[in-house]
Amino acid sequence: VGAGAVGCFYGSRLHQPGLARPVLVSLVCRSNYSAIKTQGVCLQTRNFGEFLFQPEHVFPSIPAAGGYQWDYVVVTTKALPDVSDDSAKIVPTVGPRTAIVLIQNGVGVEEPYRSRFPWNPVLSAVTIISAEQVKPGVVVQNRWTRISIGPYTSALGSEESTANTQEFVGLLKQGGIKDAEVYDERALQQVRWHKIAINGSMNPSSVLSNGSENARMVMNPELREHLRGCMEEVFHAASVVLGGPLPPHLPTANQILKSTERNTGGRPSMLVDWEKGSRMELEVILGNPIRLAKEKGVSMPRLQAMYSLLKVAQARRDEMSKL
């Protein structure tokens, strides 16, 4: 559900129709429905070269995908809780044995699904990937493939969630995603907060610096210092919210910045949304972390400033578009 760059990329690697036990992936599309229905998805990737992905089925809407017995419903849509409750939208596709996989940015994205589907396994996934759909049905992967997956339990589906996590990671590895990783629930939330350090610094800064790409930002001395400060702010907040420091195997701020130097051409998703006039993931990437930290007595002034500016900028843009 969500045939953007991330959904198409991972869906293409999961899709293995030629195996003895075939894995068949279908896509629910929106504006790119006609292109993908007609010609499939053309992927231009750093890791797997250029290839064509022909989904088993292509649906124009979520209700159209109802009536099938899905083993997994993989949600890769933008997480916009200030706009809609996406857990309600996927109801037609979720059966008694369906596992729900959330490949979405931010923190706090899982609870609506856990509450609505208490008997279904819910898997939470965090990706490190630079990819963009440059036109309908054409996806470019610039760098990285890592995906970290763990259960989100606190409900009756908890035992199944662990088994489904291992199975889903196995399917990704079968498709060539060598750095697909299994985490337990607490460790996966640590990974989520670690990615907030990346998304919560890079995404809003790219928009506020008039469309700067990732590599360009980290090569600018003033912006590099700003990004480092944002990341350290998130690391501190995460240690308080989660009750302990992030594990040492996760990259430091300096390591993230150094790695990003090579991500030439990489454009944060928030910048892509801003340029298209779409809603940005402000709440799950900035708002939720700020609020969770505040509940623990921790302020995040750098993220708070960017959140406030972009929230008003988005509202003003929406107002102007109605004139």
Side-chain angles (χ1 to χ4, degrees), residues 79-278:
L80 300 169
D82 51 326
V83 176
S84 65
D85 178 3
D86 286 348
S87 71
K89 292 182 180 180
I90 68 167
V91 167
T93 65
V94 178
R97 303 289 295 177
T98 303
I100 301 164
V101 185
L102 305 176
I103 307 180
Q104 294 182 302
N105 287 327
V107 296
V109 299
E110 304 96 345
E111 190 54 38
Y113 295 87
R114 180 72 287 160
S115 298
R116 188 173 296 277
F117 304 105
W119 297 94
N120 292 82
V122 175
L123 313 184
S124 183
V126 179
T127 63
I128 299 295
I129 183 173
S130 175
E132 183 178 352
Q133 187 163 199
V134 294
K135 64 180 183 179
V138 179
V139 171
V140 176
Q141 178 240 356
N142 299 303
R143 200 169 189 87
W144 305 307
T145 64
R146 178 172 295 127
I147 180 167
S148 307
I149 306 179
Y152 189 83
T153 60
S154 305
L156 297 175
S158 59
E159 292 184 4
E160 286 184 309
S161 295
T162 301
N164 283 114
T165 301
Q166 295 171 340
E167 180 183 60
F168 194 78
V169 167
L171 294 176
L172 285 164
K173 287 181 176 291
Q174 184 175 262
I177 306 297
K178 297 178 182 178
D179 48 2
E181 304 166 325
V182 174
Y183 282 80
D184 63 31
E185 186 163 356
R186 184 175 186 277
L188 196 280
Q189 292 306 312
Q190 290 177 321
V191 174
R192 274 205 174 276
W193 272 90
H194 185 268
K195 191 177 179 184
I196 288 294
I198 300 172
N199 283 346
S201 58
M202 297 284 186
N203 277 264
S205 298
S206 181
V207 178
L208 291 169
S209 61
N210 198 29
S212 298
E213 298 174 347
N214 290 330
R216 182 170 185 171
M217 284 193 291
V218 301
M219 296 303 291
N220 178 281
E222 287 78 17
L223 260 179
R224 191 184 188 98
E225 188 61 28
H226 160 72
L227 293 169
R228 182 185 290 108
C230 292
M231 292 177 189
E232 296 294 351
E233 190 172 276
V234 173
F235 291 156
H236 172 63
S239 69
V240 176
V241 171
L242 298 176
L246 298 182
H249 76 274
L250 294 174
T252 64
N254 285 332
Q255 289 171 328
I256 294 168
L257 293 168
K258 184 66 177 176
S259 176
T260 306
E261 292 175 8
R262 303 191 299 272
N263 189 22
T264 54
R267 290 155 43 83
S269 59
M270 195 175 285
L271 172 61
V272 175
D273 290 335
W274 174 259
E275 291 180 343
K276 291 193 304 184
S278 302

Side-chain angles (χ1 to χ4, degrees), residues 4-16 23-27 43 51 53 55 74 76 103 168 172:
V6 170
C8 286
F9 177 78
Y10 287 109
S12 73
R13 304 318 304 170
L14 288 165
H15 190 61
Q16 300 287 329
V23 180
L24 304 178
V25 175
S26 298
L27 296 179
L43 289 110
F51 62 95
F53 165 39
V74 184
T76 61
I103 307 180
F168 194 78
L172 285 164

